[in-house]
Each structure stands twice: as C-alpha cells, then as structure tokens.
Amino acid sequence: MQAATAEMADAAPRPRAVDPRGILQQNREFLDYFWDIARPERGTRLKAVESLTEHLKSSEKSDELKYSLKRLVDGLSHAREDARSGYSLALAQVLSVFEEISLKSTLDQIKEKHNLQTAKKKQIRNVAFGNFFGVLALSQSTRLHKEPQVLLECVKLLQSLAQYRDHLRDLPRKTMVDILSETSEEVFEEVLFSALHSDLTSALSSPEQLELLLVAMQRFPSIIKPAKLKKLLGTTAIINKQNLPRLVALLKVSACSVKKESVLPAVAMDLMQASLREDSFPLFWQEAVVSGLMSEPPGPAHYLAFRMLGAALPLLSAAQLQVVLSGDVMRRYGEHVVSAQIPGRFRFAPEMEAYVSTFLQGCVEPDKQLQVVLAFTQLTHQGCPAVPSFWKVLEHMGLATLRRYVDWLKDAFCHPQLQDCLEFSTRKQGGGQKPDMQKESCVLRFRKWIIPRLTSIVENHQIKKDEDLVMGIARFIFFHAFFDTTKPNAELLETQTKLSVPLDPSTRAVTSSAFYSLLQYLNILPVLDDSMETDVPSGRRVLGVMSDGSMWMYRLAQYANALLKQDTHARSAQTLGAKHTQAWDSMLQSVESLEKKAKKSPEHAAFQHLLLIIGMQIFKVNSPRSLTELLNADTSEPHWVEVVVEILLSLLSQPSRLMRSICKTAFSRICPHLTEPALNTILDVRHTSSQSPVPPSDQDSTLHNQSDGEEDDSSCDDDDDDDAMEQEEVDQDFRLELMKVLHGQNALAREEDSGEEEEVDDEAMMKLDKSLAALFSEQRRKRQGRQEEKERVRKERTLVRDFRIKVLDLLEVFLSKQGSSGLVLCLVEPLLAVIEKSMSSEVVQQEQDFLRRAADMFRNQLCRGKHYCREVEGREAELHEMLERLIGRAQKLPDSSVALYYFSAALYLVKVLRGVVKETDTAHIPERIMGKVDVARVTSWFRNALLSFMTRRKSPLTGDMFIDLFNRFPVLCVNLVDTAVENIAGAVREHQQGQACVMVLRALQSKEVKQLMTTAQWTELCQTTADQLQQSLQHTECKNKAVHGKMVKALELCHFLVKTVRSQKVEVNLDSLRNVLRSMNSEGSLQKAGQLEDTYWSVMKFFNIQKPRVEKVKKAVAEQVEQETPKKKKKGFLPESKKRKNRKKPTILEGMDTTVAPATAGGGVKGGKKKKKKKNKKRKVQGGEETQTPPPVKKAKAQQPQSKKQRGRE
C-alpha cells in the first residue's frame, strides 16, 4: 500500500483541460439560454428567448436546432407556470424563424412527449399543460393558418383538453377563439366548421362554447347565416325570448367566474354586440340585464351589469343611451355607491370612472358626451348626486361640451328640476319625511354639490378651459355668495336669472367659502393663453394674471363694484354701512392709482394685490372690523411699511390659506423697505400672543414674569393649580350645601336619635328629592361651565400657536430675501428666546412643529446662511455687548441643547464683526484678520467660558462648541490654546481632559494657527503640550469608559505631536513622555488588539519601540487541557444550574460498596470535583450518628443494566 502511494506521488501531475476552440465555453453559454428561459423574472426570460433565437440563426448547426426543439418541447410540461410560458414563447419564436421545421412533426413530437393516455396520475396536470402550451406555441408561430391539417389537429387536441377543466379552466376554449380570429374564411368553412360542429351546436351549454359561436358569427357572417344558425341552435337569432333564460344563466356563471379578476367577460361583450347586430338590444337589456342579472342579490351579477353598462356606452346611439342611463341599472349603481362608503366594502366607482373616461376620450359627438355626463350628474340620493364633485372624467370633455355643461349647472342651481333627476334611496332610508320638507332638503343638498363641482372645473388644471369660462364661473359664485337679484339687467348676466327657491344661510356660507377658495387658486393660476409672452427677464411663468396682464382679482373687484353701483338690480346679502362703502371706494382708488405704477415696480403690484384681498373680505358675513379700519386708516404719521406690516399681521390672524399665501407674497415684495420699527412689530407678536389666550384671572398672575419661557410655564402651571384648588373648593362647597339640605329635611341621623328609627312621610321625601335634584343639577352646570371654559382656553391657545407659526413665515421670507441686511441682527436674541421658551413649554405637536421651524430657521438661514450682515459701522459696541450677553447666558443654561444655539449665535456675531477677510491681507496680522472684533475682550469672554467648561462637573457647554470656535477663528484659537493645554491634566474630569486633548490637536493641525505663531511660540506650545501629556498619562489606569476615552484622545494627540516634532525638527524634549509611555505597558496589558492599543503602538513606533510578537501557544494549551480533563458529552447551552439531574443514576444503598457505581453514569456530572464533593458528603453522613434512609422502590430501577449509549460511552 505504501509503495503504491509512493508511486502515485512520483507520477507526473495530470494536465489541465485545454479548450483551444472554446467548445466548452460555447456549450455552456448555449445551455444557459434554457436555464434563463425558465427563470421567474419576465425580463430575463424574454432576453433569453431573443438570445437563443439569434444564436441558432448565427450558428446554423442542425444538431443545436434539433436539441433546442427537443429541449423546448420537454419544457412545456414544467412544474412552474413561468417556466412553461417561457418555453412556449421560445418554441413559438423558433418555429416562426425557422420555417423549415415542420409543424406536423412538431405537433407529433408534442403529442408523443406529453401523452395523456400513458401519463401517470400525478403527472396529468403537467402533461395537460404541456399539450396546451404546445398548441399555444404553434398558434403564436403565425404559421398555423398555412397548414390547415395541422390547424385541425390542434383544434381537436384543444377539444380533448376541455375535459381537464379542473387544471386548465377555460384556457382551451379561449385559445380556440383566438385561433378562429386568425383563421381565414375558406379554412374555417372547409376544415374547422365540421370539427367545431359539436361545440357550435351546444353553444348554450357553457359560456366558453357560446363565446366560440359568437366569435364565429362575428368573424364569418357569410358562413354562419340565419339558416345555418337555425340548424345549429334551432333559432335564426341568438337574442330571442326562447334563448334569453339560458343566456341569463350563462351570464351569471361568467359573472362568478371573473369574481376575482374584476373584468368584463368576453361573452358578455360579444352578446351585446350580437344584440346590436340583430337590432334586439332593448329586449336583451331589459330581459337579460335588468330582469335577469339585477334580480340577483347584490354581488357578482350586479357588478357584471355595471360593467356591461360602462362597456356599452361607446356602442349605443343617443336613444339607446337614454334607455340605459335612466333605467334600473343606474339606480342600483347609485345604491351601490352610497352603500360602499362603509370601510372594507368593494367599490365599483373607480371601474365606472374608467369606463366613462374611455367613452369621453373616444367620443367625438358633443351631444352624446353631454348626455352621459348629465346622466351621472342627475343620479341623486336625496338631492345629492352619487358621483363626487371632483370628477376626473371631466378632463376628457371638449371645450364646447364643457361650456354647455357649466351652463346646465348654473341653471340647475337657480332652478333645481329634481323631478328630472334619477332619484334612488337605500332600503334603510324610506319615505320617513314629509314631501315638502324632503324636497326642500334635496334642493339644499343639490345646490351644495353644484358649487364644489363648478370650483373643481376651475381648479383642475387638466380640464381644457378658457378665460371666459373661468371668469363666468367666478362671477356666478361671487354673485350668489354675496348678492341677490332685485331686477334683471342686461349688462349683469347673473341678474337675469332669479332663484326659484331662495338661498338659505348654510348654502350661502358654502358658496362664500367656495369663492375664497377659488380666489386662492386664481391667485396662482398661470396664463391660460399660451401665446402670451412673459415680461419677466428670467422667463418664469406669470401667475394670477389674465392674457391682457390684468389680475383676476382686479376683474372680480370691478365686477363687485358694478354690482354695488347697480343697487336697483342687485342687493347685497349683507348690509354694508357707510364705513364699508367708504373703505371700498378708497381701496378701488388706491388700486387704480397703483395700476399705472405696477409695471415699473413689483412693490406696487404687491400693494395692489394686498388691497384687493382686503377689500374682498368686506363682503363676508362676519368680516372683521379691523379690515375696514385698516382701509380707512390715516397713513400720514407712521411709515408706510409699518402700516403694511400691521395689515399683514391682521390678515394672518384669520384662519385662511388664501390670506397666508397673499401675506407671504406681499411681504416678500416689501422686504427691501422694511424698517426696524416694522420688524419690532413682528417680533412683538410673541409677547402679545403668549398673553392673549389666558383668562383675565391668569393674566394678573403672569404679568410679574420676566421671560417668555417662564411666562408660558407659569401660566400653564397656574391653570392646573387653579383648576385643582377650584375643584377642591367646589367639592367642599358642594358638601356644605348637601349637608344643609339634608339637615333642613331632618334626613341625617343624629347621635341622640341613634337608637330610634323615625320614618319620613311621602311629602317630606318628595321635597327632599326636589332639593337634591336642584342641588345636583346646579353642580352639573358648574362643572360643565368649567369644562367649556377650559376648552375655550385650549382652542384659543391653538389659534395663537397657529398665528405664531404664520409669523415665522414672514421672518423666514425676510431672512431669505434680506439676509445681508443690518436688521437681521435684531432677530438673534428674539429667536433665541423663542427657542428657549419652546424647549421648556408643554409637549404639544403644534408647539413642537413651531420649535422645529424656529430652530431650523435660526441654524440654517441665520447662522449658516450664504449671505450675512456686513453693515456694522457704528454698531461695534452694541454687538460686543450682545456677544457678552450670549456667552454669559450660554454658561447659565441648564440644557446643553439650548446652549448650543446661544454659542452658535455668539460665533455668528464674531463672524459679522470680523467681516470679509481679503486675500491681500497676507501679513496675517490679527488686528487686520479679525476686522472690527475687539480681540482682547472677546478672548477673555471665551476663555472664561472655556474655564467654566473645564472646571465645572456639570456644564451646559460642550467640547464641540470650542472645537468649532478653534476651526473657524484661528486668531482666537491662538489666544485660547494655552488654556486648553493647561487643562489636559488640570481639568476636573477625565471627559474634560479628553476634550482638551481634542482641542489642542485641532489647534496643532491648523495651518493658520502655525502661521500666526512665531517659531518660539510654536516650540513652547509643543513643549508645554508634551509636559501636560506626561502628567495626564502618568499613573493612569484604565478603570472605566471615561478614562479609556481620555487615554485614546491623549494618545492621538501624542501621535500627532511626536510626528510633528520629528518631521519639523522642533527642539522639544520628549524623553520624559517616552518614559511615561513605556511604563504604561510595563505589565504587558497593551499587547491586545483595539483602538487604544493600536494608537499606543503607533506612537511608540516613533521611539523605535515595536510591538512584541506573541507566541501562539493556544493549540498546545488546548491539547494539554484535553489530556487533563476527561471527554464528556455536551449538554447544550444550558448552565449547570439549569440542567436536569440524571434520575437513572444508580443509588447507593446501605451496606453496599460505593465503588460499584460507574464513573460515567451521570450525564450531568462535570469532571471529578462534583464526585469528590458527593463522596465527602456521603462520608460525613456515614460517619455521623444519623443513618441514610432507604430510597423509594421506584429508584431501585437505577441498578438495572446500562443502556447501549452508556456502554458506548465507557
């Protein structure tokens, strides 16, 4: 054996396989095509089919083509559906490309491979699919119609596959229909008609066979004539009273078959087309759909009727549409829409919307378009149409049809003709109301639906419309929201139609709200005439104007002015006083004067827009008096910007998105002209808003608070305390009142009457009940009043928070537009106060959003903005005082997150005072680099802050703040680095010492710092740093995480320091530092792997000390341990305390030798220690006076012979 092994070793090595022609690689690529064809990914399958076809065309090898054909035929019966479809498609492509392959031989090969007669029972399903996909591949090859005999055999094979319906469903019948649709008339008459005669004769037995007959009738009308149809079915037509019951049954079956797919069965569509060809559509619709399908309970039959309704729309004439859209199917569809609003129910409305959209897209007749849209609009439930007011199908209407539809909506609003509507009601909603009341409520609901429909037509940018249509809708809504007709006028079209039913207040309120919503959209509406060129140099689209350049709002204001002047023809719904009229006239005069200047200056356009918005608010039922006062205000004394700011703040107090967007746009225009008093007016909002929602009793208690944060907190706490105190007082008062009532009626038991029971008569009891009822009702009213007051205060606070968020919009616009203005400095302290107050306020989502926006605006737009204030001439002293306040405040805050914002603000002020550093300042003189910063004073403030951070155990300041300071201002870094060096070893905690190391490291790494220092200063800094590191690392033990982090940072500083000293040849004595570093590893504790150890040895490399290599003795130690400890069976991952004891372990009885027990009997025994402990225990028991009690009888079974496993262990 050894000789043979040696002989094999001496033999020459086996040569590698050489493939010079690439045959192996080619075969591998060729076989990979078939693997990819069976992949689940559709894209991979398609790519593999295309690659296989191209490969076979380019190779021209008959053996590969033969193998491919065999492999594809075999794959037709694959177990996975994706693989079957992939092989079928590939086979179809191969047969289509290579016409030399006979379809007859291919079909024979398919029949031979997938023989249903010889297949096993388990393989029947796959074999049936193999035959089906084989025929499908032949039909998709586009060659089947050229070989009629093969076509006939395919049809016969599909007929034989019909019996495997459990597996194939109706796929064979559908394939036969597809084959018929591609077959010529001659082939059908000569070859297929006789083969399909049995299927055509039994057409009324299944939906698939009926569909086959219908397709044949539609495809070959000259062959299947009425006479031949009579031979097949016994009737000359498909649709007649004799066949209708069987047709209804087949439709119901097909409806259930597509329940999951939610599609229209092809047989239903073919039946409708057959009824139209036979001129029997009314009979078919009434008997088969209305009387047949709709007689079933709500379910698949109803959904089939709805789908037939939607699919029939493009096929019907106007008269037929009238029959279909006003019948029972539409009414049932409305009931379904109403009942399907319950969550979790199936909704058919999206499908019907798709059908109507398809109809409107393909229909070119405006009359039919209008007829269908009106039919769905008039499908009402108690006056409210079933379709939503915002209906996307209107996007496909033509402009002429849309105009007619809008005119119909206007006329329906003025003269509701509910008798023309198709009214429906659910089963639960009967005629419980009176006819008059029901008619009045229906009119209200109908009108409240029409107004949103009109606004949706304007607001949907996909609907094609022109300016006249939009203006007509806006004028109509405005007129009926604020005016009534008194006398018709030819100039005012809206006055020519008088309402048949007067408008109620709720409808007028809905119309008014819709008008202001429409104003908001008109404000951002692009020019509808695309031919207009914009005057903006940047090429941006102009919004809110018409094609002639005038604003939509100005045109509406002119229309409103015309209505006010024609008071004999139109009357305002709200009585406008002299102040309102005067304000309106002054507004129009101002707008007209600004109209001439608007083209030259954008500010004038903003004022014009703002005035129009304010003027339109006058027509509101509850219009604020402040608006009228603002319009009539005398603007001669204050600056005009201050007046505009007050107007904007007044408008922002209203809960309107339109006002918010208008104010934001107007404020962006006046930002360049903003003054400090105007900005203070905006900033003062935070003072007034925090006091406004508090009740008068609480306002007195909050007037003594100084800061805003304390004010909000104290008000909230006072509210809670007052509620608690009031609740206790009320409870005590209620007890006293209750005692009085009971004492007054002698209903309380006294001590002297404790032994006697006195009965109370009925009259006294009734009197007592009345008194108690009055007392408890009064108590309930008081409690309800307190709850209402608390709810009112909560709502007011919500409104105030919302108002403050809107004010932030103005400040954000100001920072984005005028970031370099000197007024920006006025925002620093107010924004910091807002952030500090919000940090300590109550946890409400709205308050958190306000804080998030304020903090983001302060951090990103103020402190980190691209443009910052550079106008500090004459304000140096003021800014230095502010800087001192900010640094001092940052040291006194309890939270470091708030202190970070104060410190960032201080750095921002330093940047502002420094200004722009010019490139010509190459001398690097600190006075020239720092601009107008008083370096000595600022350095002293930051040094005090740094000392506070290093000497206080709990400081709100962090090391990252000073690291940012060192990175941004090298001059201050040079002045503060000595303080940081001193605290490398002198800081109060290890964390501060580590942060001091990081600060010094950043200073040493900065090129600017080195350039600002002389050589002597640099040498002294390096020497001092080395000495401090020596003191910090001396006698340091890695006790906890803080010490470990400090050591890592100190070693990183050592690494850079030693590297710098050696590379720059700085005269620094590093011997003491080297000795301290060497002593750290005296015990060999730094020889493991880790960040601390790696940093340590990277430093020691500079001192020519390498990390010692550790000998690998792990394997020898493991072998020695295995020899010492006996092998044992692992018991899993359970600890020893959780393991079960071996109950089959033999028990030692009295008088028996203990050495008889086997050593490995206990599975839970661990080593020999436990055995010794047990033996010692037993010796103690045996040596004592007590005797061991004999075990139970069951435990005696432990002395039975050992099992095979135990014998195996031994």
Side-chain angles (χ1 to χ4, degrees):
M1 184 67 181
Q2 294 179 355
T5 306
E7 186 178 354
M8 292 175 61
D10 295 338
R14 184 178 180 180
R16 294 183 58 184
V18 181
D19 186 21
R21 299 182 181 179
I23 297 175
L24 297 177
Q25 182 66 25
Q26 291 177 6
N27 291 338
R28 180 54 188 266
E29 294 178 357
F30 177 64
L31 293 176
D32 285 343
Y33 295 146
F34 300 99
W35 286 98
D36 292 339
I37 288 174
R39 291 292 178 85
E41 298 81 10
R42 184 172 180 271
T44 306
R45 295 199 306 269
L46 295 177
K47 186 177 180 181
V49 171
E50 183 180 358
S51 301
L52 176 62
T53 308
E54 294 296 330
H55 176 78
L56 293 176
K57 288 171 60 177
S58 59
S59 65
E60 297 181 356
K61 296 180 180 179
S62 60
D63 54 345
E64 287 188 354
L65 182 59
K66 184 177 180 181
Y67 176 79
S68 300
L69 190 62
K70 180 180 179 302
R71 186 73 180 270
L72 295 177
V73 171
D74 293 346
L76 294 175
S77 61
H78 201 281
R80 287 189 293 107
E81 181 181 357
D82 296 333
R84 290 194 297 264
S85 61
Y87 283 117
S88 176
L89 179 61
L91 180 59
Q93 291 295 322
V94 171
L95 293 176
S96 177
V97 173
F98 301 95
E99 296 187 358
E100 61 270 16
I101 301 177
S102 173
L103 295 185
K104 173 64 174 166
S105 61
T106 306
L107 181 60
D108 293 340
Q109 189 176 355
I110 293 172
K111 290 181 180 181
E112 181 181 358
K113 179 63 180 178
H114 310 292
N115 193 346
L116 291 169
Q117 303 299 328
T118 60
K120 296 181 180 180
K121 187 176 181 180
K122 292 182 179 180
Q123 301 295 329
I124 286 293
R125 183 176 186 274
N126 295 337
V127 172
F129 271 112
N131 284 275
F132 167 72
F133 277 104
V135 176
L136 185 63
L138 294 176
S139 65
Q140 290 178 349
S141 65
T142 66
R143 294 173 49 194
L144 193 59
H145 63 278
K146 299 178 182 179
E147 301 184 17
Q149 295 302 324
V150 180
L151 177 62
L152 180 60
E153 292 186 17
C154 289
V155 171
K156 290 182 179 180
L157 182 56
L158 290 174
Q159 288 176 337
S160 65
L161 291 176
Q163 59 181 329
Y164 300 100
R165 183 176 176 81
D166 295 339
H167 305 302
L168 301 178
R169 303 292 179 184
D170 56 346
L171 292 177
R173 299 293 181 183
K174 290 183 177 180
T175 307
M176 291 172 63
V177 171
D178 295 337
I179 292 176
L180 281 182
S181 61
E182 298 176 358
T183 305
S184 62
E185 188 172 347
E186 297 178 359
V187 175
F188 176 76
E189 184 177 7
E190 297 175 358
V191 179
L192 293 183
F193 184 75
S194 59
L196 297 176
H197 187 272
S198 59
D199 291 329
L200 298 178
T201 304
S202 58
L204 298 180
S205 60
S206 67
E208 293 81 11
Q209 293 174 337
L210 177 60
E211 183 182 357
L212 187 64
L213 175 61
L214 293 174
V215 171
M217 293 176 59
Q218 183 179 0
R219 184 78 174 82
F220 314 108
S222 60
I223 298 176
I224 305 181
K225 297 180 180 180
K228 189 166 292 188
L229 185 62
K230 187 173 182 180
K231 294 181 181 180
L232 294 174
L233 299 180
T235 58
T236 58
I238 294 291
I239 310 299
N240 52 42
K241 292 186 177 181
Q242 180 182 352
N243 295 337
L244 278 175
R246 302 176 69 181
L247 294 177
V248 171
L250 294 179
L251 286 175
K252 292 179 182 179
V253 172
S254 62
C256 295
S257 65
V258 296
K259 182 178 179 181
K260 295 183 179 180
E261 292 81 1
S262 298
V263 294
L264 177 66
V267 64
M269 189 66 183
D270 294 338
L271 276 176
M272 284 194 298
Q273 293 177 350
S275 64
L276 291 172
R277 289 196 304 268
E278 297 175 359
D279 294 333
S280 57
F281 179 79
L283 175 64
F284 170 75
W285 188 261
Q286 182 62 33
E287 298 297 332
V289 180
V290 178
S291 302
L293 295 178
M294 301 309 296
S295 62
E296 294 290 318
H302 284 210
Y303 302 146
L304 175 59
F306 300 155
R307 293 187 180 101
M308 294 176 69
L309 169 64
L313 294 178
L315 308 175
L316 305 181
S317 62
Q320 292 171 341
L321 283 174
Q322 181 64 29
V323 174
V324 170
L325 295 175
S326 61
D328 191 56
V329 179
M330 280 288 289
R331 188 176 285 106
R332 293 293 183 89
Y333 171 71
E335 294 178 10
H336 163 77
V337 172
V338 174
S339 61
Q341 295 177 358
I342 302 175
R345 291 194 176 183
F346 173 72
R347 299 186 179 183
F348 190 82
E351 288 189 46
M352 184 60 73
E353 184 175 334
Y355 281 120
V356 178
S357 298
T358 304
F359 165 75
L360 292 178
Q361 284 179 322
C363 182
V364 295
E365 302 179 23
D367 295 337
K368 292 178 66 175
Q369 282 190 347
L370 182 62
Q371 184 180 4
V372 172
V373 174
L374 287 181
F376 281 93
T377 303
Q378 292 177 325
L379 180 62
T380 59
H381 171 59
Q382 295 182 358
C384 182
V387 294
S389 57
F390 184 84
W391 210 24
K392 292 193 66 175
V393 302
L394 300 180
E395 300 172 0
H396 309 293
M397 293 181 65
L399 184 58
T401 310
L402 185 63
R403 284 200 187 96
R404 294 172 59 186
Y405 180 61
V406 169
D407 294 339
W408 183 91
L409 288 174
K410 293 178 181 179
D411 184 68
F413 183 88
C414 299
H415 305 287
Q417 303 292 334
L418 297 180
Q419 64 275 7
D420 297 338
C421 296
L422 186 62
E423 180 69 23
F424 66 90
S425 60
T426 59
R427 289 176 294 178
K428 295 183 180 180
Q429 297 172 345
Q433 297 178 349
K434 295 181 180 180
D436 296 339
M437 295 296 295
Q438 190 172 6
K439 181 179 178 181
E440 184 177 354
S441 62
C442 290
V443 170
L444 300 182
R445 289 163 60 89
F446 193 47
R447 283 176 170 174
K448 289 180 181 180
W449 181 90
I450 290 177
I451 294 299
R453 168 55 64 90
L454 290 173
T455 56
S456 68
I457 292 175
V458 177
E459 294 176 357
N460 189 354
H461 63 279
Q462 296 291 342
I463 298 178
K464 299 178 181 178
K465 47 189 176 290
D466 55 2
E467 293 183 350
D468 295 337
L469 181 64
V470 173
M471 182 56 69
I473 293 175
R475 291 174 56 167
F476 179 82
I477 296 177
F478 174 78
F479 179 83
H480 292 286
F482 307 114
F483 287 90
D484 293 322
T485 302
T486 56
K487 185 179 179 181
N489 188 359
E491 298 179 357
L492 303 174
L493 299 178
E494 287 72 22
T495 60
Q496 296 180 4
T497 305
K498 195 171 183 180
L499 300 178
S500 60
V501 180
L503 289 178
D504 64 306
S506 62
T507 306
R508 199 176 290 275
V510 170
T511 311
S512 174
S513 177
F515 172 72
Y516 288 107
S517 175
L518 187 62
L519 271 187
Q520 181 181 2
Y521 181 78
L522 293 177
N523 185 37
I524 59 174
L525 180 66
V527 180
L528 296 178
D529 187 4
D530 297 335
S531 61
M532 176 187 174
E533 296 182 359
T534 123
D535 297 334
V536 183
S538 60
R540 292 184 298 178
R541 302 177 66 183
V542 181
L543 304 178
V545 298
M546 304 178 69
S547 58
D548 58 354
S550 59
M551 291 189 295
W552 289 95
M553 208 169 297
Y554 183 53
R555 288 289 185 88
L556 289 175
Q558 291 177 338
Y559 174 70
N561 187 48
L563 292 176
L564 291 175
K565 300 302 181 183
Q566 299 285 344
D567 53 354
T568 58
H569 300 278
R571 181 182 68 254
S572 176
Q574 179 190 5
T575 303
L576 300 178
K579 292 184 178 180
H580 292 84
T581 307
Q582 182 180 358
W584 177 261
D585 294 338
S586 62
M587 183 271 296
L588 282 182
Q589 292 177 2
S590 303
V591 169
E592 290 175 358
S593 61
L594 291 172
E595 180 71 19
K596 303 175 182 178
K597 307 176 183 178
K599 296 182 180 180
K600 300 180 181 179
S601 174
E603 288 80 7
H604 293 88
F607 296 149
Q608 185 183 10
H609 205 178
L610 183 61
L611 289 174
L612 289 172
I613 283 293
I614 299 173
M616 285 298 182
Q617 300 297 318
I618 293 179
F619 296 101
K620 279 188 175 180
V621 177
N622 298 320
S623 60
R625 295 179 57 187
S626 58
L627 296 178
T628 307
E629 295 173 358
L630 288 173
L631 289 174
N632 291 326
D634 185 10
T635 59
S636 57
E637 295 183 358
H639 196 273
W640 62 270
V641 176
E642 302 174 21
V643 178
V644 173
V645 168
E646 291 182 359
I647 294 174
L648 294 178
L649 293 177
S650 301
L651 295 178
L652 282 178
S653 62
Q654 302 182 28
S656 172
R657 289 188 301 171
L658 174 63
M659 290 297 177
R660 188 172 182 175
S661 62
I662 292 298
C663 292
K664 195 172 180 180
T665 304
F667 187 77
S668 64
R669 301 287 181 84
I670 66 171
C671 277
H673 309 283
L674 202 65
T675 60
E676 186 173 356
L679 184 60
N680 291 332
T681 304
I682 300 175
L683 296 175
D684 290 342
V685 170
R686 63 189 185 92
H687 297 283
T688 57
S689 62
S690 59
Q691 297 178 1
S692 58
V694 185
S697 60
D698 293 333
Q699 285 183 359
D700 298 336
S701 62
T702 57
L703 287 176
H704 303 286
N705 298 321
Q706 299 296 328
S707 65
D708 296 326
E710 296 174 357
E711 181 177 343
D712 261 16
D713 293 341
S714 62
S715 62
C716 297
D717 296 339
D718 290 345
D719 289 343
D720 298 337
D721 296 340
D722 292 346
D723 292 342
M725 293 289 292
E726 186 179 358
Q727 185 69 25
E728 293 180 1
E729 293 176 0
V730 168
D731 291 343
Q732 188 65 26
D733 295 340
F734 177 68
R735 291 193 191 97
L736 294 176
E737 293 293 334
L738 183 61
M739 294 293 291
K740 288 181 181 180
V741 172
L742 295 177
H743 276 301
Q745 300 297 329
N746 296 326
L748 289 178
R750 301 177 183 177
E751 295 180 359
E752 56 272 14
D753 299 338
S754 58
E756 300 179 0
E757 293 183 1
E758 183 179 356
E759 295 183 358
V760 184
D761 56 353
D762 294 342
E763 185 178 354
M765 287 296 295
M766 293 296 293
K767 189 174 181 181
L768 177 62
D769 290 343
K770 292 181 180 179
S771 302
L772 291 176
L775 180 62
F776 278 102
S777 62
E778 182 66 23
Q779 176 68 10
R780 189 183 299 109
R781 283 195 297 270
K782 290 181 180 179
R783 184 177 300 174
Q784 186 177 0
R786 288 195 300 271
Q787 292 178 355
E788 292 177 355
E789 179 67 16
K790 186 182 294 185
E791 183 67 17
R792 183 187 63 82
V793 172
R794 187 190 65 80
K795 291 181 179 179
E796 288 181 354
R797 285 178 177 170
T798 302
L799 292 175
V800 168
R801 293 191 191 101
D802 188 33
F803 178 58
R804 292 168 63 192
I805 292 176
K806 294 177 183 178
V807 173
L808 279 183
D809 290 344
L810 303 184
L811 297 179
E812 190 174 1
V813 170
F814 177 70
L815 286 176
S816 61
K817 298 289 185 180
Q818 298 292 319
S820 59
S821 173
L823 295 177
V824 174
L825 300 175
C826 300
L827 299 177
V828 175
E829 290 184 311
L831 284 178
L832 288 172
V834 167
I835 294 173
E836 184 180 355
K837 175 188 64 175
S838 301
M839 284 283 192
S840 58
S841 61
E842 52 186 335
V843 183
V844 183
Q845 183 62 36
Q846 196 178 19
E847 190 70 27
Q848 295 299 319
D849 295 340
F850 173 73
L851 171 62
R852 191 179 298 108
R853 286 199 57 188
D856 180 74
M857 181 175 62
F858 178 82
R859 180 175 59 251
N860 297 328
Q861 297 190 12
L862 181 62
C863 296
R864 300 179 184 175
K866 295 182 179 179
H867 306 284
Y868 62 94
C869 175
R870 300 176 184 177
E871 303 173 2
V872 295
E873 193 68 33
R875 303 181 61 182
E876 295 85 353
E878 177 188 353
L879 294 181
H880 280 86
E881 292 177 1
M882 185 188 302
L883 179 60
E884 184 180 7
R885 289 196 303 269
L886 294 178
I887 299 176
R889 181 61 179 166
Q891 303 175 46
K892 298 177 182 179
L893 290 170
D895 192 0
S896 60
S897 60
V898 183
L900 176 61
Y901 290 100
Y902 275 88
F903 203 87
S904 300
L907 297 183
Y908 172 73
L909 289 182
V910 175
K911 181 176 72 171
V912 170
L913 287 169
R914 182 188 61 179
V916 181
V917 179
K918 299 180 180 179
E919 297 180 358
T920 56
D921 296 338
T922 56
H924 295 288
I925 302 176
E927 288 75 10
R928 298 182 62 181
I929 295 177
M930 294 303 291
K932 299 181 181 180
V933 179
D934 192 343
V935 179
R937 292 176 62 190
V938 174
T939 301
S940 63
W941 296 334
F942 280 112
R943 179 177 286 110
N944 294 335
L946 182 58
L947 289 175
S948 174
F949 169 64
M950 293 295 179
T951 56
R952 290 175 58 183
R953 299 189 64 87
K954 293 184 179 180
S955 174
L957 304 178
T958 61
D960 294 335
M961 299 178 185
F962 294 98
I963 292 172
D964 190 16
L965 171 66
F966 282 17
N967 292 335
R968 296 173 62 180
F969 304 105
V971 175
L972 298 179
C973 176
V974 171
N975 297 339
L976 296 175
V977 69
D978 55 346
T979 307
V981 171
E982 293 174 0
N983 287 279
I984 292 177
V988 66
R989 291 192 308 168
E990 290 80 3
H991 173 70
Q992 279 92 335
Q993 295 176 10
Q995 294 297 317
C997 293
V998 177
M999 295 178 197
V1000 177
L1001 179 60
R1002 295 296 181 270
L1004 294 177
Q1005 291 175 343
S1006 176
K1007 296 181 180 179
E1008 292 83 0
V1009 171
K1010 184 179 179 182
Q1011 292 174 356
L1012 290 171
M1013 299 177 69
T1014 61
T1015 305
Q1017 291 176 341
W1018 181 256
T1019 304
E1020 182 181 359
L1021 174 62
C1022 294
Q1023 184 64 54
T1024 310
T1025 304
D1027 297 339
Q1028 289 293 324
L1029 286 173
Q1030 173 193 351
Q1031 297 179 16
S1032 177
L1033 295 175
Q1034 194 172 10
H1035 306 297
T1036 302
E1037 297 181 1
C1038 191
K1039 300 178 181 179
N1040 49 32
K1041 189 176 181 180
V1043 179
H1044 183 274
K1046 168 217 168 180
M1047 292 178 64
V1048 170
K1049 293 179 175 61
L1051 289 174
E1052 289 176 354
L1053 178 59
C1054 287
H1055 181 274
F1056 185 80
L1057 177 65
V1058 176
K1059 180 181 178 181
T1060 303
V1061 169
R1062 294 295 173 85
S1063 62
Q1064 299 179 4
K1065 298 181 181 181
V1066 184
E1067 298 180 358
V1068 177
N1069 185 11
L1070 299 176
D1071 295 338
S1072 58
L1073 179 61
R1074 180 188 59 188
N1075 296 334
V1076 171
L1077 292 174
R1078 181 180 297 176
S1079 64
M1080 291 175 62
N1081 192 36
S1082 59
E1083 299 179 358
S1085 59
L1086 296 176
Q1087 296 182 5
K1088 301 179 181 179
Q1091 183 183 8
L1092 176 63
E1093 291 78 6
D1094 296 343
T1095 309
Y1096 171 79
W1097 289 111
S1098 64
V1099 176
M1100 299 304 293
K1101 267 187 182 180
F1102 293 107
F1103 297 109
N1104 298 324
I1105 300 176
Q1106 300 293 333
K1107 182 178 180 180
R1109 294 184 178 181
V1110 181
E1111 296 182 0
K1112 297 183 178 180
V1113 295
K1114 185 175 181 181
K1115 187 174 182 180
V1117 172
E1119 291 178 356
Q1120 185 179 359
V1121 171
E1122 288 182 0
Q1123 293 177 1
E1124 293 178 356
T1125 59
K1127 295 182 180 180
K1128 58 179 181 178
K1129 184 181 178 181
K1130 294 184 179 180
K1131 297 288 288 185
F1133 298 95
L1134 289 176
E1136 294 294 334
S1137 60
K1138 298 295 184 181
K1139 293 178 181 178
R1140 296 178 58 186
K1141 294 181 179 179
N1142 193 350
R1143 295 182 179 179
K1144 293 185 179 182
K1145 184 178 178 181
T1147 308
I1148 302 172
L1149 303 178
E1150 287 189 15
M1152 295 187 66
D1153 190 4
T1154 57
T1155 60
V1156 179
T1160 59
V1165 179
K1166 184 177 181 181
K1169 295 183 179 180
K1170 278 197 171 184
K1171 293 180 180 179
K1172 291 181 180 180
K1173 288 183 180 180
K1174 290 185 177 181
K1175 289 180 180 179
N1176 293 336
K1177 289 180 181 179
K1178 293 171 185 177
R1179 288 173 183 173
K1180 290 180 182 179
V1181 174
Q1182 290 176 0
E1185 298 179 357
E1186 298 180 359
T1187 59
Q1188 187 175 359
T1189 57
V1193 180
K1194 291 183 178 180
K1195 291 189 177 180
K1197 293 181 180 180
Q1199 298 179 0
Q1200 295 178 0
Q1202 297 176 350
S1203 63
K1204 294 181 180 181
K1205 292 184 179 180
Q1206 292 175 346
R1207 288 198 297 269
R1209 294 172 191 164
E1210 295 178 354

